[in-house]
Amino acid sequence: LAERKTYFVDVILPVPIHRAFTYRLPQEWENDVHVGSRVVVPFGKSKFQTGLVTKIHEQAPAEYTVKYVECLLDETPIVTTGQFHFWSWIAGYYMSSIGEVMNAALPTNFKIASETMVAIHPDFEPGEQDMTEQETAIFEVLVIQEKCDLKQLIERTGITSIHPIIKKMFQRRILLPFEELNDRFTPKTATYVLLNEELQDPEKLAECLYNLEQNKRQAKQLEAMLQFLALGQVENGDFQPVPKTQLVAQGVSQASMASLERNGIIHTEKLIVSRINFDKQHVREPENLSEAQHKAYDEINICFQTFNTTLLHGVTGSGKTEIYVHLIQEQIKSGKQVLFLLPEIALTTQLIQRLQEYFGELVGVYHSRFNQNERVEIWNSVLENNPHKFRIILGARSSVFLPFSDLGLIIVDEEHETSYKQHDPSPRYHARDAAIVLGIMHKAKVLLGSATPSLETYFNAKNKKYGLVELSERYGGIRLPEIFFADIKKERAQQTMHSHFSSFLMEELMKTIEEGQQAIFFQNRRGYTPLWNCEVCSWTPKCTNCDVSLTYHKHSNQLKCHYCGFVTAPIGTCAQCGSNRLRMIGFGTEKIEDELILQHPELRVKRLDLDTTRAKHAYAKLLTEFEEKKIDVLIGTQMITKGLDFEHVQLVGVLDADMLLHRPDFRAFERSYQLISQVAGRAGRKHKRGKVIIQTADPDHWVLRRVMEHDYLGFYNSEIMERKHFLYPPFYKLIDFTLKHKDEKILQQGSLNLTRLLKEVFHERVMGPEKPLISRLQQYFLMGIKLKMEKDLSDKKVKEHIRGIIDAFYSVPSHKSIRLVINVDPY
DNA sequence: AGCACGCCGACT
DNA sequence: GTCGGCGTGCTC
């Protein structure tokens, strides 16, 4: 009798532990398990988790008793070996665990845990499928409960080994993971015209058309019907719904459609316009490139021969997108996959639509706030390298994690955007930098695009690490806006200020409105007043959980903490000295809105910031209203700077440039240059040059001068000198350590100890410990330590050292309760 | 990161 | 006397 081998699997679990977990594999799955298959495993005292198999072996661990794999979810891998390499790079470089990377990479619906909610599949028809006794038991619980997590389901049904059954029920589309509907991005609906059911039969349809033809009074209806049939016809002779707007565009009148509906031939329905499926019939050829665009396109291709990564530095409105489209087209022709990265907010814009018009269903949109089932669908489609679907992925930062196997090109649009850097849950990766590494792994080319490149990127391009292509001509000959300064200091002295508005700005606003045009006011701060201040003792109200002064929101009449969400009622008297002389310092979008309305009640003023776009559809609604000229002045935070083009914006006002410039952060000037240039780019139309007015107390500030002259290179040259002088990126690499603890004493001691340990290895490269700007967040005191390192230090060694130091740090009992956050390349 | 186990204060 | 606070240590 041959001896049976026992197999074990090493599994990645979504926990911040730098260790592999070994499980024993039941015999029944020995032949089906693969590296890259998901398994459900017991983890901890009473929980289940989804893990990913990284290794199959026969070495039984000696020091502990191994648990069994509970359920094998995939008979074929869902993650490629290439992805494992990429994940390890992310984990190593950004100092997170591989489990955390997995967590960021996999769509939620891939992960089944004890707390996963399941529900009955909406398409499930009762009686259609035979169910076992156990399946029926599960089903019945869900009939009553609608949704239920797996832990409860085990309790209610008494089935101990529930995962394999759930897995089958998912596959048979009886159940699905339950997902809360996301309000902000609910599916877009449109009215569609459909053929009535009985006319789907070709004979009936022919008869119907004949009848229409016979009756001269129904000529219009016949015409409408023929239009409809032409638009709706698909290859196999069936008819699909046609958008009503499309029929109207073809000249079909509402009246004839209504008649057809009355005669029982057609009907209309509100249908969801799918974001990922696109009608093949709309595919059209990309526009031809202008001469300048064509030149840039050729240069990019030349750069790609020598460089993995190339920067396309194109001024706003130079038509970078058209160049991207042509590059994508080339990749598609040679059968390659394309990844197109965009900042989170830009994903809601016209760009998606435009690409879908060119590439139809080859375009897939991958966005954390889209439906999770759609995400799984895209994942699987990319994984199987389906040549007809989702060859082009348009996505936010997390789309670098898709299972590409044949990637030819990665485009990172608006490369300088800070939202490419993940902040909160670890891994704190930068999608642009990760994309470059991904490109190298795939031998794919990477194109970075921006009108205002990050210093790092431009530095690399200048130093021949990346290719560089400049596109300085605006498409269609539209001129860059003219930029002026409103000297706040002077106007204050002359008393010509109208509250926060200079008379210069107001005069220009009135001119703009008289000409029937629109204006955008930019103030990068929401709320009403960021600071209340007692005139007597200079006390300010602060958050009880964070070391942050509270922002007053007038509309809700609340004092809010923008860091933890703490809310309290406004106070009339100083809590310290009891005086009632509280004055407001600074201003946010809300106050701008209020005062503009107060001064000009005739203007239609709206505000676009986090507070006004939280509600369902609010963002899209505001934009449409603005587009339709139902708003004269749109006041907004940086949300309005992102990739939106409005036809009628003639004036852009930057209300407080100084606030941007004087932030205590080494990137403040860079951010200011980028933000102001971006808002400025919103001004101007086909026939008239736009105007930008920047309110500042220091109109001679060199950064503002460079903005005014549209002189990126000049800005870059000065700023890069500063960076070099003060040992900042791109010359030096930064790693931030943040320690958190509820007890300030313990934190202080811990910070000093960690600093000492770091200094033993890194010496003068260690800065701190220092109280960060916000020294308390959500009841935790914070302490910061910075590491500034020469670029040529071995990254691997640096991180090995840091690992060792952290282990040494946590071996001290009193440090165990201190939380440590490491941020590599902080933004 | 969760989460169970375990040791000290304010309540029936 | 207990219920529950969150400090500590573990997860194959």
Side-chain angles (χ1 to χ4, degrees):
Chain A
L1 218 109
E3 215 177 297
R4 269 215 80 90
K5 281 181 178 170
T6 309
Y7 288 98
F8 297 90
V9 287
D10 284 357
V11 164
I12 304 177
L13 288 166
V15 284
I17 303 167
H18 300 259
R19 203 188 318 151
F21 292 89
T22 307
Y23 288 86
R24 198 165 152 177
L25 188 72
Q27 271 179 33
E28 52 175 315
W29 293 316
E30 275 173 13
N31 297 320
D32 297 321
V33 75
H34 291 92
V35 168
S37 293
R38 286 171 305 155
V39 284
V40 176
V41 292
F43 188 65
K45 281 270 155 74
S46 63
K47 284 194 80 178
F48 288 95
Q49 278 289 3
T50 300
L52 205 55
V53 176
T54 52
K55 200 175 161 194
I56 304 162
H57 58 87
E58 292 169 44
Q59 292 115 47
E63 317 82 78
Y64 51 88
T65 45
V66 199
K67 289 182 182 174
Y68 274 94
V69 167
E70 163 79 13
C71 177
L72 174 70
L73 290 178
D74 307 295
E75 267 106 69
T76 54
I78 59 135
V79 170
T80 65
T81 44
Q83 280 178 290
F84 280 126
H85 285 145
F86 182 56
W87 292 8
S88 330
W89 179 82
I90 299 244
Y93 186 82
Y94 292 104
M95 309 206 67
S96 68
S97 77
I98 194 98
E100 289 171 307
V101 181
M102 175 183 87
N103 217 14
L106 293 187
T108 326
N109 277 4
F110 266 145
K111 292 168 272 184
I112 298 169
S114 312
E115 60 275 7
T116 300
M117 289 286 192
V118 295
I120 296 169
H121 200 291
D123 296 345
F124 176 74
E125 297 280 342
E128 220 171 54
Q129 299 189 51
D130 290 333
M131 283 193 269
T132 64
E133 204 177 299
Q134 290 182 319
E135 284 170 344
T136 312
I138 294 167
F139 189 81
E140 273 168 5
V141 172
L142 289 165
V143 168
I144 302 161
Q145 262 213 326
E146 189 204 0
K147 58 171 180 170
C148 182
D149 72 24
L150 294 184
K151 206 175 177 177
Q152 271 184 37
L153 221 44
I154 294 169
E155 283 166 18
R156 298 278 161 85
T157 59
I159 307 168
T160 44
S161 171
I162 208 164
H163 297 93
I165 304 163
I166 296 286
K167 177 197 162 188
K168 283 211 189 78
M169 291 174 87
F170 279 167
Q171 282 170 350
R172 291 167 60 195
R173 299 171 74 80
I174 301 171
L175 304 183
L176 85 176
F178 178 82
E179 193 183 343
E180 302 283 348
L181 279 178
N182 196 315
D183 282 350
R184 240 159 110 77
F185 289 93
T186 36
K188 196 178 149 195
T189 60
T191 309
Y192 277 76
V193 178
L194 290 88
L195 194 61
N196 277 356
E197 187 125 15
E198 62 274 15
L199 295 174
Q200 292 285 352
D201 176 0
E203 269 179 42
K204 292 259 170 67
L205 182 63
E207 192 190 320
C208 162
L209 289 173
Y210 178 78
N211 288 340
L212 286 174
E213 214 173 327
Q214 291 313 91
N215 191 341
K216 283 216 177 74
R217 293 178 55 195
Q218 293 179 323
K220 276 281 176 211
Q221 283 182 56
L222 179 65
E223 207 178 289
M225 198 56 195
L226 291 174
Q227 285 278 11
F228 164 67
L229 293 175
L231 286 167
Q233 189 151 30
V234 283
E235 287 146 38
N236 58 8
D238 280 345
F239 294 96
Q240 63 179 21
V242 176
K244 197 169 175 179
T245 48
Q246 210 180 327
L247 282 166
V248 173
Q250 297 284 325
V252 175
S253 71
Q254 298 279 353
S256 40
M257 276 189 273
S259 309
L260 283 169
E261 193 162 0
R262 227 180 308 113
N263 294 334
I265 299 166
I266 59 164
H267 64 280
T268 58
E269 258 177 54
K270 280 239 176 227
L271 293 181
I272 291 165
V273 184
S274 169
R275 285 190 171 86
I276 55 174
N277 285 317
F278 204 80
D279 186 351
K280 276 185 200 147
Q281 293 180 4
H282 297 291
V283 177
R284 65 180 169 97
E285 282 296 304
E287 317 264 321
N288 286 331
L289 296 179
S290 73
E291 206 177 305
Q293 285 172 326
H294 208 281
K295 190 166 159 275
Y297 171 81
D298 287 340
E299 281 174 23
I300 291 167
N301 277 321
I302 291 166
C303 282
F304 278 162
Q305 288 170 16
T306 18
F307 300 103
N308 290 312
T309 306
T310 292
L311 166 66
L312 172 60
H313 176 213
V315 293
T316 38
S318 58
K320 289 190 286 292
T321 312
E322 286 307 323
I323 297 174
Y324 298 154
V325 167
H326 282 255
L327 288 164
I328 292 169
Q329 200 178 33
E330 199 157 296
Q331 293 295 327
I332 294 302
K333 273 185 195 152
S334 52
K336 293 285 193 177
Q337 296 170 315
V338 177
L339 171 61
F340 192 146
L341 287 175
L342 285 158
E344 197 99 5
I345 330 164
L347 271 166
T348 54
T349 61
Q350 306 101 317
L351 185 78
I352 295 170
Q353 216 177 345
R354 219 157 121 201
L355 282 169
Q356 283 179 331
E357 277 172 25
Y358 298 139
F359 299 111
E361 60 186 10
L362 293 178
V363 177
V365 179
Y366 198 73
H367 189 294
S368 60
R369 280 177 285 201
F370 280 2
N371 183 307
Q372 286 293 334
N373 292 319
E374 283 179 0
R375 300 190 98 204
V376 169
E377 196 186 325
I378 291 189
W379 181 289
N380 287 331
S381 177
V382 173
L383 180 69
E384 66 191 48
N385 202 5
N386 183 335
H388 306 294
K389 250 189 150 180
F390 305 145
R391 304 300 295 174
I392 307 153
I393 299 297
L394 225 74
R397 57 169 182 261
S398 64
S399 46
V400 294
F401 290 118
L402 282 165
F404 300 104
S405 51
D406 214 358
L407 202 53
L409 174 69
I410 305 174
I411 296 168
V412 186
D413 195 25
E414 308 288 350
E415 140 319 296
H416 63 277
E417 271 302 317
T418 48
S419 66
Y420 279 125
K421 171 83 174 171
Q422 165 130 324
H423 263 288
D424 214 3
S426 175
R428 299 179 174 80
Y429 65 103
H430 197 299
R432 179 238 292 142
D433 300 340
I436 292 168
V437 171
L438 186 70
I440 291 167
M441 287 180 174
H442 280 267
K443 298 190 171 62
K445 297 299 168 194
V446 180
L447 182 67
L448 310 178
S450 175
T452 51
S454 65
L455 267 265
E456 282 88 339
T457 298
Y458 206 74
F459 178 80
N460 284 331
K462 281 253 153 192
N463 289 285
K464 304 269 180 267
K465 220 180 137 192
Y466 302 164
L468 175 61
V469 176
E470 302 270 358
L471 181 60
S472 48
E473 191 180 296
R474 279 191 121 184
Y475 185 79
I478 303 167
R479 289 201 290 165
L480 285 166
E482 210 173 344
I483 298 178
F484 302 93
F485 297 111
D487 190 332
I488 300 285
K489 224 179 187 171
K490 232 186 234 167
E491 287 216 19
R492 280 226 180 87
Q494 293 164 354
Q495 303 201 325
T496 53
M497 289 291 285
H498 307 268
S499 151
H500 302 296
F501 311 109
S502 58
S503 51
F504 182 22
L505 180 62
M506 287 327 257
E507 278 160 26
E508 287 299 327
L509 177 64
M510 289 307 122
K511 266 192 234 164
T512 303
I513 301 302
E514 270 162 35
E515 287 169 32
Q517 303 301 327
Q518 296 171 295
I520 284 177
F521 278 11
F522 172 70
Q523 170 65 358
N524 204 21
R525 175 168 257 158
R526 64 195 172 92
Y528 194 81
T529 298
L531 205 62
W532 277 20
N533 195 265
C534 170
E535 278 185 51
V536 180
C537 70
S538 82
W539 171 87
T540 52
K542 286 200 167 171
C543 174
T544 53
N545 307 315
C546 313
D547 177 31
V548 172
S549 55
L550 296 168
T551 301
Y552 177 53
H553 286 245
K554 198 180 177 192
H555 287 251
S556 51
N557 194 31
Q558 285 170 327
L559 289 169
K560 277 189 201 173
C561 170
H562 285 182
Y563 288 84
C564 74
F566 171 82
V567 170
T568 181
I571 353 152
T573 51
C574 171
Q576 194 167 284
C577 71
S579 104
N580 56 6
R581 287 165 62 191
L582 292 173
R583 70 186 159 177
M584 296 178 181
I585 295 171
F587 53 94
T589 45
E590 213 181 281
K591 196 168 183 206
I592 295 298
E593 182 191 22
D594 248 41
E595 294 197 342
L596 192 57
I597 292 170
L598 201 73
Q599 290 179 28
H600 292 280
E602 77 282 5
L603 291 180
R604 296 166 301 176
V605 178
K606 280 277 167 74
R607 180 160 56 93
L608 182 106
D609 55 29
L610 240 149
D611 300 306
T612 59
T613 54
R614 245 189 276 266
K616 223 177 189 175
H617 306 307
Y619 181 70
K621 220 176 126 191
L622 265 170
L623 293 185
T624 322
E625 266 181 71
F626 194 60
E627 248 163 59
E628 290 170 355
K629 293 182 85 173
K630 289 175 182 159
I631 299 170
D632 298 315
V633 187
L634 191 63
I635 297 162
T637 55
Q638 54 179 300
M639 279 179 102
I640 49 170
T641 63
K642 297 292 160 345
L644 294 155
D645 291 311
F646 303 110
E647 220 3 66
H648 305 283
V649 177
Q650 186 174 310
L651 178 71
V652 165
V654 177
L655 291 166
D656 189 357
D658 304 334
M659 188 203 82
L660 282 172
L661 286 166
H662 299 137
R663 281 200 355 253
D665 163 14
F666 75 92
R667 269 186 244 269
F669 287 172
E670 181 182 346
R671 279 298 285 157
S672 304
Y673 185 91
Q674 288 163 347
L675 271 176
I676 301 174
S677 300
Q678 301 268 336
V679 251
R682 308 291 123 222
R685 299 155 295 124
K686 276 198 186 102
H687 308 293
K688 195 164 178 193
R689 199 172 174 195
K691 265 190 190 175
V692 178
I693 294 173
I694 301 173
Q695 298 197 143
T696 172
D698 185 9
D700 292 322
H701 195 292
W702 70 270
V703 173
L704 297 180
R705 287 280 142 189
R706 296 297 91 77
V707 172
M708 187 192 82
E709 292 151 6
H710 302 284
D711 180 13
Y712 174 80
L713 196 63
F715 166 76
Y716 169 81
N717 285 331
S718 307
E719 178 67 7
I720 203 81
M721 293 306 287
E722 297 278 303
R723 299 285 179 92
K724 193 173 186 175
H725 186 239
F726 293 104
L727 318 185
Y728 275 117
F731 298 95
Y732 282 72
K733 286 183 67 80
L734 297 183
I735 299 180
D736 273 5
F737 297 79
T738 307
L739 296 93
K740 304 183 181 185
H741 202 279
K742 285 187 180 171
D743 184 324
E744 207 173 4
K745 282 260 159 54
I746 295 174
L747 178 75
Q748 209 125 47
Q749 197 52 53
S751 312
L752 287 169
N753 288 338
L754 183 60
T755 308
R756 188 174 42 77
L757 288 170
L758 284 166
K759 276 190 174 159
E760 278 172 19
V761 176
F762 295 107
H763 310 288
E764 76 291 340
R765 300 178 186 89
V766 184
M767 325 269 146
E770 205 174 283
K771 259 194 187 181
L773 224 79
I774 292 155
S775 67
R776 200 160 80 104
L777 262 186
Q778 285 160 37
Q779 315 217 326
Y780 281 88
F781 288 96
L782 309 184
M783 247 343 190
I785 304 170
K786 277 184 205 302
L787 213 50
K788 255 189 196 179
M789 285 168 307
E790 304 89 304
K791 263 201 136 167
D792 49 12
L793 288 187
S794 152
D795 197 75
K796 216 181 138 203
K797 278 197 184 142
V798 164
K799 273 147 201 177
E800 266 168 29
H801 273 129
I802 294 175
R803 273 272 127 67
I805 292 166
I806 293 166
D807 288 345
F809 177 75
Y810 276 118
S811 67
V812 178
S814 65
H815 294 159
K816 291 205 161 75
S817 55
I818 298 176
R819 295 208 221 182
L820 177 62
V821 172
I822 303 176
N823 197 354
V824 179
D825 302 339
Y827 253 88

